[in-house]
């Protein structure tokens, strides 16, 4: 079964063809301004290199930064109505209370509070009022709003009120899209609500983007299913990506980390993915990115849906190097996807980190003669600055002082030295396209995060119930039942809640059945 993995980055679009664990072909092309053109070029070149026909491709998986960029840049966001089911509780902190002002303005101030929501054990806070929701739906329709986010207190525990509200709002606003918080985030109301609002605001963009990606694949003659990679290293089909665009926010770094684990054979390591503009750093645990244990900031908004514990620094192969006292500066400014045109070793006139790597003997690409005029002392100082920033990033990801390998991936990883702060640096074969490989090997998953009362049941029964539901979710997402494995299982007693409450979280993964 031929699988194609594609990663659309800010600088390059990478693509690979794989059969099982074998990599048949890999290409890297500059990302185009319209994205689709670069995607089609990468797909055609990788098929040609692998000598396969479009009809032989069984699966295409794409990682994209479209939706993250939209939030960060405050562009292409829809006006969104927020319906919180909470009254008479949870009124003191309104939705979007801690959002940046410009992002809140982009989405609008359409906030509605209604009766409903439940306690941690599923007990209703107040009776649900259908007439109240219908009145809110009429106001939303009058305002012409086409995106609605519905969030209820403790909705992941019991989503009945959210589902009933959604049905009434859909009847009142038939042209609007709806997102329920119980399908997006975890237990915390404000963070889950914020993730739901972002998802709603991105739904229209997601529809256009996914359609564009599908069209690009189809124009290359490929008729197989198209999937997008998620934040946790697993995949979802294109239709699900249209409904839940926020679940792709960190797919790029996650793909790189999964690809790094696959290529190196290491399951516990620090991964440093050096691209053309930025470097992403994270920790592998059991071959998957370690998940963030608390809220994650996206464009200034605190959210709590599943995200890898990855951070970025403004350093990459296209970073501009400038002489200065006492030390030179490398980045954060970058030539980005124009690297192969503007860097000195490629015939341009801008001194970049790639030029420094070539001049210092760490890389052999382009025309080394174009950087022979650089003073050796200046090159060493630039390399010291690069090494110091990468070393600090690796140290930030460590959770113990024990030695741990560092896996260098990404086209810009030619900047890295053989050892980093005393840690061995592994640069595996095909390191430059690890992100596309991570997309190609993606599996599917199911996850449950819920509070259980243990007054009348045991811890073991709560864990078993959560695992059973997680497996059902994975199968519903396309996983082969016999391939499903439990990757995360935890329970945390909540002493501040009555009823001997405990929070249970279980995650499973499985191979996609096609």
């Amino acid at each position: 079964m031929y699988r194609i993995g594609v990663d659309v980055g800010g600088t390059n679009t990478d693509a690979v063809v794989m059969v099982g664990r074998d990599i048949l072909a890999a290409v890297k092309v500059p990302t185009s301004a319209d994205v689709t053109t670069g995607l089609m070029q990468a797909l055609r070149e990788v098929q040609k290199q692998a000598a396969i026909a479009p009809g032989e491709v069984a699966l295409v998986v794409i990682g994209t930064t479209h939706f993250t960029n939209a939030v960060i840049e405050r562009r292409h966001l829809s006006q969104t109505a927020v319906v919180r089911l909470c009254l008479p509780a949870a009124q003191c902190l309104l939705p979007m209370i801690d959002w940046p002002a410009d992002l809140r303005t982009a989405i609008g101030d359409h906030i509605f509070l209604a009766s409903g929501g439940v306690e941690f054990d599923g007990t209703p806070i107040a009776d649900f009022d259908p007439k109240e929701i219908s009145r809110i739906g009429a106001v939303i329709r009058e305002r012409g709003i086409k995106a609605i986010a519905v969030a209820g207190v403790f909705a992941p525990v019991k989503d009945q009120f959210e589902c009933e509200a959604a049905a009434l709002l859909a009847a009142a606003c038939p042209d609007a899209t709806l997102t329920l918080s119980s399908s997006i985030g975890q237990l915390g109301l404000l963070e889950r609500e914020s993730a739901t609002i972002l998802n709603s605001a991105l739904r229209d963009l997601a529809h256009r983007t996914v359609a564009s990606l599908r069209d690009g694949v189809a124009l290359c003659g490929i008729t197989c299913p198209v999937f997008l990679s998620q934040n946790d290293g697993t995949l979802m089909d294109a239709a699900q990506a249209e409904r839940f665009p926020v679940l792709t926010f960190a797919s790029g770094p996650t793909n790189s980390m999964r690809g790094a684990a696959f290529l190196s054979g290491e399951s516990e390591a620090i991964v440093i993915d050096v691209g053309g503009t930025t470097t992403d750093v994270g920790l592998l645990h059991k071959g998957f990115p370690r998940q963030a244990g608390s809220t994650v900031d996206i464009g200034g908004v605190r959210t709590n849906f599943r995200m890898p514990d990855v951070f970025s620094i403004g350093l990459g192969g296209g970073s501009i190097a400038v002489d200065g006292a006492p030390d030179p500066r490398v980045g954060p400014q970058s030539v980005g996807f124009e690297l192969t045109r503007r860097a000195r070793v490629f015939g341009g006139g801008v001194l970049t980190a790639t030029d420094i790597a070539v001049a210092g003997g760490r890389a052999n690409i382009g025309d080394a003669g174009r950087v022979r005029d650089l003073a050796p002392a200046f090159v060493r100082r630039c390399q010291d600055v690069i090494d110091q920033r990468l070393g600090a990033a690796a140290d930030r990801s460590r959770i113990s002082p024990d030695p741990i390998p560092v896996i260098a991936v990404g086209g810009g990883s030619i900047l890295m030295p053989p050892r980093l702060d005393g840690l061995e640096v592994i640069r595996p074969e095909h390191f430059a396209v690890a992100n596309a490989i991570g997309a190609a090997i993606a599996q599917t998953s199911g996850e449950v995060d819920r509070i259980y009362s243990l007054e009348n049941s045991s811890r073991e029964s709560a864990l078993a119930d959560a695992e059973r539901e997680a497996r059902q979710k994975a199968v519903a997402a396309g996983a082969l039942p016999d391939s499903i494995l439990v990757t995360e299982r935890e329970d945390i007693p909540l002493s501040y809640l009555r009823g001997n409450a405990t929070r249970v979280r279980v995650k499973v993964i499985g191979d996609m059945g096609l």
Side-chain angles (χ1 to χ4, degrees):
M1 184 179 70
Y2 295 108
R3 298 161 63 103
I4 295 182
V6 183
D7 189 271
V8 183
T11 303
N12 293 303
T13 295
D14 301 337
V16 299
V17 174
M18 297 184 66
V19 173
R21 297 183 63 86
D22 297 328
I23 302 167
L24 303 185
V27 301
K28 184 183 291 286
V29 303
T31 295
S32 60
D34 65 350
V35 178
T36 305
T37 301
L39 169 67
M40 293 173 61
Q41 182 184 354
L43 287 173
R44 286 170 174 155
E45 287 191 15
V46 80
Q47 288 180 88
K48 181 179 179 181
Q49 191 180 114
I52 62 173
E56 296 179 278
V57 180
L59 178 68
V60 174
V61 182
I62 302 173
T64 178
T65 59
H66 263 71
F67 309 121
T68 315
N69 294 341
V71 174
I72 293 173
E73 298 170 10
R74 300 354 185 193
R75 295 188 303 118
H76 309 302
L77 300 174
S78 301
Q79 292 279 301
T80 301
V82 185
V83 180
R84 179 191 287 179
L85 306 176
C86 65
L87 297 179
Q91 303 178 61
C92 58
L93 296 177
L94 294 177
M96 301 185 284
I97 187 68
D98 57 347
W99 284 36
D102 58 341
L103 182 55
R104 184 166 179 162
T105 299
I107 289 177
D109 195 19
H110 311 287
I111 295 173
F112 304 89
L113 304 185
S115 301
V118 298
E119 302 287 359
F120 82 94
D121 58 356
T123 304
I125 293 174
D127 291 336
F128 180 77
D129 186 350
K131 293 182 179 179
E132 183 181 25
I133 299 299
S134 295
R135 287 194 297 269
I136 291 173
V139 175
I140 293 172
R141 184 180 65 248
E142 290 171 3
R143 295 186 185 180
I145 300 170
K146 300 298 179 65
I148 305 173
V150 182
V153 178
F154 279 117
V157 174
K158 188 175 182 180
D159 64 359
Q160 175 185 348
F161 289 162
E162 281 195 353
C163 293
E164 291 180 6
L168 294 167
L169 291 169
C173 309
D175 296 331
T177 60
L178 287 107
T179 304
L180 308 188
S181 75
S182 54
S183 61
I184 292 285
Q186 299 174 9
L187 292 173
L189 174 61
L190 289 179
E191 294 81 9
R192 170 166 45 88
E193 183 177 65
S194 291
T196 308
I197 297 168
L198 287 179
N199 193 82
S200 293
L202 289 165
R203 288 282 295 272
D204 185 57
L205 174 64
H207 176 73
R208 299 195 309 269
T209 299
V210 172
S212 179
L213 294 175
R214 279 173 165 160
D215 290 345
V217 172
L219 288 171
C220 291
I222 300 173
T223 58
C224 69
V226 177
F227 291 81
L228 272 74
S229 53
Q230 300 187 81
N231 301 325
D232 63 355
T234 60
L235 50 77
M236 57 182 171
D237 63 35
Q240 188 181 13
E242 287 189 54
R243 293 177 57 213
F244 303 113
V246 295
L247 298 184
T248 71
F249 275 176
S251 61
T254 300
N255 285 342
S256 295
M257 296 183 71
R258 289 282 290 135
F262 174 86
L263 292 171
S264 67
E266 300 284 348
S267 59
E268 307 288 333
I270 295 170
V271 177
I272 299 182
D273 175 21
V274 189
T277 304
T278 60
T279 293
D280 298 315
V281 187
L283 185 70
L284 278 177
H285 177 57
K286 296 182 179 180
F288 281 82
R290 185 175 66 136
Q291 297 294 294
S294 59
T295 59
V296 177
D297 186 285
I298 303 295
V301 176
R302 294 187 311 134
T303 64
N304 69 352
F305 57 95
R306 58 181 184 265
M307 287 279 284
D309 190 7
V310 175
F311 65 94
S312 300
I313 59 174
L315 176 67
S319 294
I320 298 172
V322 180
D323 198 359
D327 296 311
R329 186 177 74 251
V330 184
Q333 290 77 24
S334 171
V335 296
F337 63 83
E338 296 181 311
L339 174 64
T340 55
R341 183 175 66 84
R342 298 183 63 188
R344 287 179 58 172
V345 293
F346 296 120
V350 180
L351 183 65
T352 67
T354 297
D355 299 314
I356 297 298
V358 173
R362 291 184 178 176
N364 182 24
I365 58 175
D367 182 2
R370 295 183 59 84
V371 291
R372 286 193 183 128
D373 60 314
L374 297 177
F378 169 70
V379 173
R380 283 194 301 272
R381 293 204 316 274
C382 286
Q383 288 182 324
D384 288 344
V385 169
I386 292 171
D387 294 352
Q388 183 181 28
R389 295 185 65 190
L390 292 174
D395 190 60
R396 178 176 166 182
S397 292
R398 298 177 71 175
I399 57 176
S400 80
D402 299 331
I404 187 172
V406 174
I407 308 172
V409 294
S413 64
I414 57 174
L415 308 180
M416 295 184 61
R419 296 188 68 84
L420 196 63
D421 280 358
L423 300 177
E424 177 192 6
V425 174
I426 301 172
R427 189 177 289 106
E429 187 180 5
H430 299 299
F431 67 89
V433 291
N435 45 11
I437 291 169
I441 65 172
Q443 298 167 293
T444 191
S445 66
E447 184 175 5
V448 170
D449 184 355
R450 179 169 301 159
I451 294 177
Y452 287 83
S453 173
L454 302 185
E455 274 191 329
N456 300 312
S457 63
S458 66
R459 169 181 176 271
E460 289 72 22
S461 64
L463 287 168
D465 180 73
E467 181 179 333
R468 182 168 51 252
E469 185 176 344
R471 288 178 176 272
Q472 291 172 351
K473 287 185 175 182
V475 171
L480 295 170
D482 293 341
S483 71
I484 294 175
L485 298 173
V486 178
T487 58
E488 297 178 35
R489 188 204 312 261
E490 64 179 6
D491 60 304
I492 305 170
L494 303 176
S495 59
Y496 54 87
L497 293 180
R498 68 180 185 274
N500 193 17
T502 188
R503 179 177 181 179
V504 175
R505 180 173 176 269
V506 176
K507 179 180 177 181
V508 301
I509 62 169
D511 296 330
M512 175 63 70
L514 295 174

